[in-house]
Amino acid sequence: MSSVRLLKYASRRLALLPVQLLLVSLIVFVLVRQMPGDPTFLYTGPFATTERVAEVRKQLGLDEPTYVQYVRYLERIAYGDFGLSMRTSQPVVADLRQRLPATMELILYAVVFSVLIGVPLGVYTAIRSKGALNRGVFVYGMTSGALPDFWFALVAIFIFFYKLHWLPGPIGRIDLLISKPQNISGLYTVDALLTGNWPALASASGQLVLPVATLVFIYMSLVLKNTRSAMEDMLRSEFVTYARAAGLPRLMQWRYALRNAMPPIITVTGILTWFLLGGAVLVETVFAWGGLGQYAVQSVVNSDYAALQAVVLFSAVFTMVIFLLVDLAYFLIDPRIK
Amino acid sequence: MSSDNPSLPATPLPRVGQQTAWRDFLSFTRQRGGFQLGLAIVALSLGLAVFGPHIGPYPTETALPGMPLQPPSWRHWMGTDVSNMDIFSRVIAAPRIDLTIALVSTAIAFAGGVALGVISGFFGGGRGVPKLLSEGIMRAADIIQAFPVFIFALALVGFRGPGTENVIAALAFLNIPYFLRITRGAVLQVRERPFVEAQRCAGNSEWRIAFVHVMPNALTPPLANISPTIGFSILLTSGLSFVGAGVPVPTPEWGSMIAIGAPNMMTGQWWTALFPGLVLGIVILGYALVGDGLKEFLDPVNKR
Amino acid sequence: MAPILELRELSVSYETQGGARAVLSKLSLDVSAGEALGIVGESGSGKTVLVRSILGLLDPPFRTDHGTVVFEGRDLRQLDEQSFRQLRGGSIALTTPEPRKHLNPLISIGRQIVNVLRAHQTLAEQAARTRTIELLRAVGIPDPERRLAAYPHELSGGMCQRVIIAMALAHQTKLLLVDEPTAGLDVTISRQILDLMHELAVSHGTALMLVSRDLGVVAHYCRRVAVMYDGRIVEDAPVEAFFAGPAHPYSRQLLRAAAASRGKRGAEKRVDALAEPARTGCPFRPRCPVAVAACATAVPALQQVAAGRRARCLRAEALLRQELAA
């Protein structure tokens, strides 16, 4: 019964995706045209003859009207052709495929821990609105939003790597002397676990601690604050008051409140995931993570436009998928959504 | 007919009792330590933006003679960096560029966002060309906000090349949808007030009503959001500079100073990145505190 | 009959930035077992706060400063949370205005009623389900087996009110607090609901405390009426005597307002724009047509003015003798 309902809703919601994609691709197309100078010279060099320039322009399709160029561009990305990266001399798609799992692993753990810590803490501080923990959480909420994540990462490296030697240094996802686990999902921890490769698991987990802790510390307050305020609203709601008047135990009242606070909590988890894709850029750079974020930075610094364009397009698609999942979760929780 | 017609109900600008409003503000401020701290930080940062580059004990863009990477001492309060530049002098000079970028981009975003917000809010739900315009604005905002903020900022600067103007342009562009939504929300409420209908009866054109009569009454929410947006823009600027896509070295800028110090953090010269980041964090906290305080002060629910 | 509920000098205040404001001032009131008492008064007179304070549901900024709430010989204010919880929804139950808002929107009504049942007794899942169906049938919800799975948004306001009543009467309820039963429902539906509630209360021997702005409802379902103004009981009388001739000028105004809006009930007569209660002397003085100089000196006591009736007015006896044209 409800699975039919879900399928119907999901298919309606999915039908929106192509339209959104088209608009996003248009933005990226316009963005690429913002580049200073004529991209032809990137291929011909600055001293080419007029004939040679015209020839390359024709090859690149730059002599055609803009809308034709846009359609061509759409055709190419439909076939997954994002061109060659000028920096790595590889197809951009291959580059992305290689780097994506690194970023996903980072974001995944950051989201999971933010939710596992932020939600209970938010619920607790909503229920007990006084006390030292509450004041601590307030100060944390204020400061974590103001601190730059890349700076926090550096300070953490200084303390835990340089001073205390508790954790490995910022040398990427795994110790250089340990061989990578066999590639299954691309997430080193998962693959190492699946193949029983304990040294790789230990090393990959150790490398994850600081970047994940940085992201969790800086961005968890988003989850914490929203959980607390949603929970506070719900605890004050008429139906929780009535549940109390009907003699329901405390725990049940809190469950009523939490269930109704779930939609905002899910939304903020989606927003967090979306934000982390951007936040990961800087943290990846600090930890030499070799993921999508670092790839984006290197393409900007090296004017690798094909690569940059693909990253931007991917990040938008990622965003859409995240918010699609948020909508579906909403739908499962709230029977009022048609 | 002129809108100055005295028989019309006056546009309820919050002009009545400006002195009372000021006194309210003072007593509100007196009760709130966090807000006071924020105001002090903001004032200090603005002062440094003006005088910062001139009051430091050492030059801000040239290496000093002698050994680099000196730890903090009476001579160099925050130590020196890898090129033996005095970190303290550079840290207090940095607000010049960071605040210029943040203030100018926020001002542009505010102007653009408010104008578009008034159009999309006032004409939304109408018909004809203005309605299409309103819908178009909202869809465009949706799409801009579909990109993760930092990646989009990076891409904008990436395609246009680094440099102060491009960072300003990127941040302004990114923040427009934010002001747009806030303004639109306020306009949707204001346009239902009776004085709007009165102005309509008086024969004012829709555009005139939207911008002369509705806009001034919908400015409170976007105004209250200026301060946190400035803080956020400083954070983004420093992030862009950190990865080399923002303000180029050797201009004193917090993010690029942290980038310069980053390798030294791993070899124990903690002062190189610690101080610029700490000051950066404090300044952003200051703007956030001011934003929170203003929101609370201007929120009619809390005013009672 | 012995009172089941005795309120003695109950004082509740509301904390604001400018200091505490009294919401209930030394309010004393008895409810006898099985009786139906109506509480009337304009909005802001403290009726809802009274109901909530009996159940111990007031949260900051509300604060109970003083007084006792004795239910079946126990002072509820001294009760620990656990024992109080067992009373709530058990011996003392509440129905509310705007019933849909008071039901959890994300849980089926069947589950919500089961939760209430299980809060007070150990019941197996199947037994709880059977009992829930019985309850739904008892409150006149058609096809109760199917309605178990319904969510509040799928039911009409009247149906939601019936669900609330089912919860309120799920146990051996001794006292049912009925807060504004007609708010948000149309006349026919609210009549049906009130009839049902009254019928169930009578058959269970449940005492009713019916809070309403609607004098007609109170006249129809209650034996006794208490009038509240500015957090105090200003009159307390048997219903027949009250409607024959009230002993407080405020009661008179309420009756007159009700008469004026008779025939168009639902269009509530708003009396909110009237003068604020006085801070010294009789609070009603600014609105009182029969006030005298003595009214400014102190708050009048709630005094016996006739057999079984009390009033808080210096001129009550004159009013009763119909000497004053208030």
Side-chain angles (χ1 to χ4, degrees):
Chain A
M1 35 140 246
S2 85
S3 61
V4 176
R5 217 172 118 243
L6 178 66
L7 268 177
K8 267 190 183 165
Y9 179 79
S11 55
R12 256 208 325 269
R13 184 64 183 65
L14 273 170
L16 278 175
L17 218 54
V19 184
Q20 289 176 317
L21 266 176
L22 210 64
L23 285 169
V24 164
S25 69
L26 186 64
I27 295 255
V28 175
F29 180 77
V30 172
L31 214 63
V32 173
R33 248 121 280 263
Q34 288 279 303
M35 289 186 322
D38 189 332
T40 317
F41 293 105
L42 291 173
Y43 293 85
T44 61
F47 307 114
T49 58
T50 324
E51 291 78 34
R52 171 78 183 129
V53 169
E55 192 187 297
V56 172
R57 284 185 71 82
K58 204 172 166 69
Q59 271 175 12
L60 294 173
L62 291 175
D63 56 337
E64 295 191 81
T66 314
Y67 69 91
V68 176
Q69 289 183 35
Y70 177 60
V71 173
R72 289 275 149 77
Y73 159 82
L74 281 183
E75 274 171 21
R76 280 200 307 278
I77 59 175
Y79 286 111
D81 176 9
F82 291 92
L84 289 179
S85 158
M86 280 186 292
R87 199 173 57 84
T88 65
S89 314
Q90 274 206 88
V92 169
V93 176
D95 278 351
L96 286 186
R97 199 172 296 144
Q98 215 177 339
R99 287 163 174 79
L100 190 58
T103 301
M104 289 301 129
E105 189 166 32
L106 196 57
I107 294 180
L108 178 73
Y109 284 110
V111 170
V112 167
F113 282 105
S114 297
V115 171
L116 285 182
I117 302 168
V119 171
L121 213 51
V123 169
Y124 182 83
T125 50
I127 290 170
R128 298 244 174 286
S129 56
K130 290 195 178 85
L133 185 63
N134 234 286
R135 273 194 301 278
V137 160
F138 176 77
V139 171
Y140 159 71
M142 258 349 256
T143 46
S144 69
L147 296 179
D149 46 10
F150 52 95
W151 174 80
F152 188 84
L154 288 169
V155 174
I157 289 170
F158 173 76
I159 296 172
F160 294 102
F161 165 64
Y162 178 80
K163 271 280 167 205
L164 301 172
H165 303 292
W166 286 2
L167 292 163
I171 48 155
R173 301 171 69 193
I174 195 161
D175 194 300
L176 296 170
L177 299 175
I178 290 175
S179 58
K180 293 173 190 167
Q182 187 194 339
N183 188 359
I184 301 168
S185 65
L187 311 184
Y188 284 0
T189 48
V190 175
D191 292 350
L193 200 62
L194 288 176
T195 55
N197 188 346
W198 309 123
L201 180 65
S203 174
S205 309
Q207 295 289 345
L208 271 165
V209 173
L210 276 183
V212 168
T214 300
L215 290 174
V216 169
F217 183 85
I218 301 290
Y219 296 105
M220 183 192 71
S221 63
L222 201 66
V223 177
L224 172 55
K225 282 186 203 166
N226 279 278
T227 303
R228 186 178 52 195
S229 75
M231 226 12 222
E232 277 170 352
D233 287 353
M234 290 307 148
L235 285 171
R236 272 196 300 263
S237 71
E238 284 93 345
F239 60 84
V240 170
T241 308
Y242 191 74
R244 197 170 149 209
L248 292 194
R250 272 280 165 77
L251 199 64
M252 187 71 88
Q253 296 169 27
W254 295 336
R255 271 176 53 189
Y256 274 27
L258 183 59
R259 177 148 191 146
N260 282 273
M262 277 322 279
I265 293 173
I266 287 171
T267 305
V268 79
T269 306
I271 292 174
L272 173 76
T273 315
W274 170 76
F275 216 86
L276 278 176
L277 189 65
V281 172
L282 291 163
V283 172
E284 277 189 17
T285 305
V286 172
F287 288 94
W289 201 249
L292 204 65
Q294 210 184 347
Y295 187 64
V297 168
Q298 284 160 348
S299 18
V300 168
V301 177
N302 296 298
S303 307
D304 190 351
Y305 297 113
L308 185 54
Q309 177 191 334
V311 171
V312 174
L313 208 55
F314 171 81
S315 71
V317 173
F318 178 83
T319 308
M320 285 174 202
V321 173
I322 293 296
F323 288 109
L324 174 70
L325 291 177
V326 166
D327 279 0
L328 292 183
Y330 242 89
F331 180 80
L332 284 178
I333 288 179
D334 194 337
R336 286 167 294 186
I337 295 173
K338 293 261 160 51
Chain B
M1 193 192 275
S2 152
S3 65
D4 303 323
N5 190 326
S7 68
L8 286 176
T11 314
L13 278 172
R15 214 166 263 159
V16 201
Q18 247 175 12
Q19 295 221 304
T20 342
W22 180 240
R23 225 175 301 137
D24 277 358
F25 181 75
L26 284 183
S27 81
F28 174 87
T29 310
R30 223 167 283 138
Q31 289 166 12
R32 261 149 258 243
F35 188 49
Q36 286 169 18
L37 180 66
L39 287 174
I41 294 170
V42 166
L44 190 66
S45 76
L46 293 173
L48 287 178
V50 178
F51 302 110
H54 310 296
I55 57 177
Y58 296 97
T60 58
E61 295 188 13
T62 41
L64 304 167
M67 289 286 285
L69 289 173
Q70 296 173 39
S73 62
W74 283 113
R75 197 199 263 269
H76 299 289
W77 293 357
M78 294 181 179
T80 65
D81 68 7
V82 72
S83 343
N84 205 26
M85 293 195 278
D86 179 56
I87 294 178
F88 176 69
S89 303
R90 282 167 60 76
V91 160
I92 61 169
R96 169 70 61 90
I97 187 82
D98 273 315
L99 256 71
T100 305
I101 291 175
L103 291 174
V104 175
S105 67
T106 304
I108 297 171
F110 179 82
V114 167
L116 292 171
V118 168
I119 294 172
S120 88
F122 191 76
F123 295 111
R127 55 182 67 166
V129 178
K131 182 195 156 104
L132 283 180
L133 195 61
S134 161
E135 284 293 307
I137 289 170
M138 290 316 289
R139 291 296 80 76
D142 283 348
I143 293 297
I144 291 173
Q145 293 190 318
F147 297 92
V149 179
F150 193 75
I151 291 190
F152 203 38
L154 200 59
L156 284 170
V157 176
F159 284 119
R160 295 185 57 89
T164 310
E165 304 80 27
N166 288 342
V167 174
I168 291 175
L171 295 185
F173 190 64
L174 277 173
N175 281 324
I176 283 178
Y178 180 62
F179 282 111
L180 187 162
R181 281 182 205 283
I182 294 166
T183 311
R184 179 183 150 95
V187 168
L188 286 176
Q189 286 176 1
V190 173
R191 73 170 189 185
E192 302 303 327
R193 291 213 213 133
F195 78 89
V196 174
E197 202 49 49
Q199 295 294 349
R200 212 165 263 150
C201 297
N204 282 301
S205 81
E206 291 292 294
W207 286 90
R208 190 182 157 83
I209 296 172
F211 280 95
V212 178
H213 300 284
V214 170
M215 190 176 79
N217 290 289
L219 280 182
T220 307
L223 280 172
N225 276 289
I226 284 183
S227 185
T229 307
I230 292 174
F232 185 63
S233 302
I234 297 174
L235 195 58
L236 276 181
T237 306
S238 68
L240 288 171
S241 302
F242 178 74
V243 297
V247 179
V249 282
T251 309
E253 195 282 334
W254 291 317
S256 88
M257 291 179 70
I258 297 172
I260 293 171
N264 308 121
M265 289 297 274
M266 291 152 208
T267 53
Q269 289 86 15
W270 49 272
W271 57 89
T272 47
L274 182 81
F275 291 116
L278 209 54
V279 174
L280 169 59
I282 291 169
V283 169
I284 293 167
L285 181 67
Y287 281 89
L289 285 171
V290 169
D292 280 3
L294 281 181
K295 260 179 225 170
E296 202 182 325
F297 178 69
L298 295 169
D299 185 358
V301 177
N302 285 322
K303 224 174 167 181
R304 258 175 244 171
Chain C
M1 202 186 279
I4 187 171
L5 177 75
E6 298 165 80
L7 307 180
R8 288 291 171 272
E9 306 215 318
L10 186 61
S11 297
V12 172
S13 60
Y14 182 88
E15 204 72 52
T16 64
Q17 280 175 2
R21 241 197 72 212
V23 185
L24 297 181
S25 308
K26 294 194 173 181
L27 187 141
S28 298
L29 187 69
D30 289 355
V31 182
S32 304
E35 92 164 326
L37 167 70
I39 310 261
V40 295
E42 64 202 35
S43 47
S45 57
K47 293 170 301 183
T48 296
V49 172
L50 172 62
V51 167
R52 304 265 152 136
S53 67
I54 293 171
L55 280 168
L57 292 179
L58 293 181
D59 285 322
F62 286 103
R63 202 180 62 207
T64 307
D65 301 308
H66 179 76
T68 54
V69 179
V70 177
F71 178 76
E72 292 189 315
R74 286 196 290 176
D75 183 0
L76 300 187
R77 288 194 58 209
Q78 307 304 323
L79 236 48
D80 61 273
E81 182 64 25
Q82 183 56 24
S83 327
F84 209 153
R85 180 184 81 67
Q86 278 167 357
L87 276 185
R88 294 187 193 121
S91 303
I92 312 177
L94 168 72
T95 75
T96 62
E98 300 187 277
R100 189 179 290 123
K101 275 193 180 170
H102 290 78
L103 293 170
N104 187 333
L106 304 186
I107 301 182
S108 71
I109 57 158
R111 176 56 44 196
Q112 294 188 53
I113 297 175
V114 167
N115 286 345
V116 170
L117 284 170
R118 286 180 152 181
H120 298 281
Q121 61 194 103
T122 337
L123 268 182
E125 181 68 29
Q126 194 51 46
R129 202 183 129 89
T130 317
R131 178 88 179 100
T132 301
I133 294 172
E134 279 171 27
L135 281 169
L136 288 178
R137 190 170 288 125
V139 295
I141 290 184
D143 201 2
E145 289 84 356
R146 257 192 48 224
R147 292 302 167 99
L148 285 181
Y151 291 94
H153 74 278
E154 296 168 331
L155 301 178
S156 67
M159 283 293 163
C160 287
Q161 188 65 275
R162 284 171 197 267
V163 172
I164 293 265
I165 294 170
M167 289 180 179
L169 296 174
H171 303 283
Q172 288 303 311
T173 313
K174 305 276 180 48
L175 173 63
L176 180 59
L177 307 172
V178 183
D179 193 2
E180 296 288 359
T182 57
L185 298 178
D186 69 49
V187 183
T188 350
I189 303 289
S190 69
R191 255 304 125 95
Q192 287 171 6
I193 299 276
L194 280 161
D195 282 344
L196 170 75
M197 212 182 291
H198 189 241
E199 193 183 299
L200 289 171
V202 168
S203 68
H204 288 64
T206 304
L208 273 185
M209 185 161 155
L210 200 157
V211 170
S212 182
R213 271 179 296 183
D214 190 330
L215 284 178
V217 165
V218 170
H220 194 268
Y221 295 98
C222 298
R223 304 288 319 204
R224 195 155 68 88
V225 58
V227 181
M228 276 183 78
Y229 182 77
D230 190 35
R232 291 182 176 85
I233 303 286
V234 294
E235 181 166 4
D236 175 3
V239 160
E240 302 79 18
F242 177 79
F243 283 94
H248 195 283
Y250 176 61
S251 311
R252 280 203 180 187
Q253 284 185 1
L254 281 180
L255 275 178
R256 200 167 304 150
S261 66
R262 190 160 299 145
K264 42 178 177 166
R265 209 143 45 79
E268 291 275 347
K269 178 88 176 164
R270 306 287 298 190
V271 280
D272 304 356
L274 292 165
E276 289 274 305
R279 290 282 145 241
T280 57
C282 175
F284 188 62
R285 193 161 37 93
R287 282 163 61 178
C288 185
V290 296
V292 290
C295 296
T297 52
V299 181
L302 188 58
Q303 283 172 331
Q304 183 98 12
V305 288
R309 53 188 313 193
R310 300 180 298 165
R312 194 184 284 282
C313 181
L314 298 177
R315 320 211 60 199
E317 276 157 30
L319 278 168
L320 278 180
R321 289 194 305 269
Q322 308 280 328
E323 283 170 3
L324 295 170

